[in-house]
């Protein structure tokens, strides 16, 4: 069985990978924070302007429709502009969420620099490097930030132990396949030899 990395070594590997991820993601995190902050300020200013505009709205131009109509419009006026502010809030929310999802996807697909990987790999245990190789898969694309993030999650969830178990099971099954086949058991039950009845001959003795 493979010698698994000690818990202290696993924690050290996780810390190194986490620090590398933070360095790689820091520029994007700053951009996201700035964009979200600007969106919140813009949302607040526009929403406040909408509500202030609604409070000062004059419906005297509806006098031709009669006083009851004007009274009804004045009564529903606050709710009307609150609804407009709610619609504006939904527009901002879904726009920011769509942009954030696209930014996260783009960040995950960003390749990890060869120099960054070369600086990280020598400091990791062989078992943790095995998890990184396992995460990379078929290796038709460069190793990405998303692969590194998944590697960190897999290491924290005992992927090292699972890889070791797979290796042990493969050795067991491959070793069983290399043994010569056993002779099939003779399960055919032999019937007991029966006694043959011979009918006595009746006739004069010779």
């Amino acid at each position: 069985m493979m010698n698994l990395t000690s818990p202290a070594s696993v924690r050290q590997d996780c810390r190194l990978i986490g620090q590398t991820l933070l360095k790689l993601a820091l520029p994007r995190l700053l951009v996201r924070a700035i964009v979200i902050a600007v969106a919140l300020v813009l949302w607040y200013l526009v929403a406040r302007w909408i509500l202030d505009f609604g409070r000062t709205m004059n419906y005297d131009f509806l006098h031709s429709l009669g006083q009851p109509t004007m009274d009804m419009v004045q009564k529903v006026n606050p709710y009307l502009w609150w609804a407009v502010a709610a619609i504006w809030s939904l527009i901002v929310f879904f726009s920011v969420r769509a942009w954030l999802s696209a930014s996260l996807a783009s960040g995950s697909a960003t390749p990890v620099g060869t120099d960054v990987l070369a600086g990280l790999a020598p400091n990791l245990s062989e078992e943790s490097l095995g998890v990184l190789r396992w995460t990379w898969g078929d290796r038709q694309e460069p190793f990405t930030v998303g692969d590194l993030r998944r590697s960190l999650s897999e290491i924290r969830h005992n992927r090292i132990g699972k890889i070791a178990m797979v290796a042990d099971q493969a050795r067991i099954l491959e070793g069983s396949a290399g043994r010569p086949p056993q002779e099939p058991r003779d399960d055919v039950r032999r019937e007991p030899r029966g006694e043959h009845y011979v009918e006595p001959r009746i006739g004069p003795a010779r």
Side-chain angles (χ1 to χ4, degrees), residues 8-43:
S9 181
V10 171
R11 288 193 296 269
Q12 175 70 9
D13 291 345
C14 290
R15 185 179 64 82
L16 291 174
I17 295 174
Q19 290 176 349
T20 303
L21 282 171
L22 181 60
K23 291 178 182 178
L24 293 173
L26 188 58
R28 288 182 178 271
L29 290 175
L30 292 176
V31 171
R32 290 167 190 162
I34 292 172
V35 170
I36 292 175
V38 171
L40 286 175
V41 171
L42 182 63
W43 164 80

Side-chain angles (χ1 to χ4, degrees), residues 101-179:
S101 297
S103 178
L104 290 172
S106 176
S108 295
T110 302
V112 177
T114 305
D115 55 338
V116 175
L117 205 58
L120 174 64
N123 298 316
L124 300 178
S125 63
E126 181 59 32
E127 288 77 10
S128 294
L129 287 175
V131 176
L132 267 67
R133 289 190 290 266
W134 177 86
T135 304
W136 197 2
D138 56 8
R139 308 182 188 184
Q140 294 183 357
E141 296 293 335
F143 194 84
T144 64
V145 173
D147 294 329
L148 190 60
R149 187 181 297 117
R150 186 186 175 192
S151 298
L152 177 59
S153 176
E154 292 289 345
I155 292 173
R156 287 173 174 171
H157 290 84
N158 196 33
R159 176 57 58 182
I160 292 175
K162 294 176 182 178
I163 292 176
M165 182 180 293
V166 169
D168 289 340
Q169 292 174 345
R171 281 195 295 269
I172 292 171
L173 296 179
E174 291 171 359
S176 298
R179 290 201 302 247

Side-chain angles (χ1 to χ4, degrees), residues 35-36 39-40 90-102:
V35 170
I36 292 175
L40 286 175
L90 290 175
I91 292 173
V92 173
F93 172 75
F94 285 108
S95 299
V96 172
R97 189 177 74 168
W99 175 84
L100 184 60
S101 297

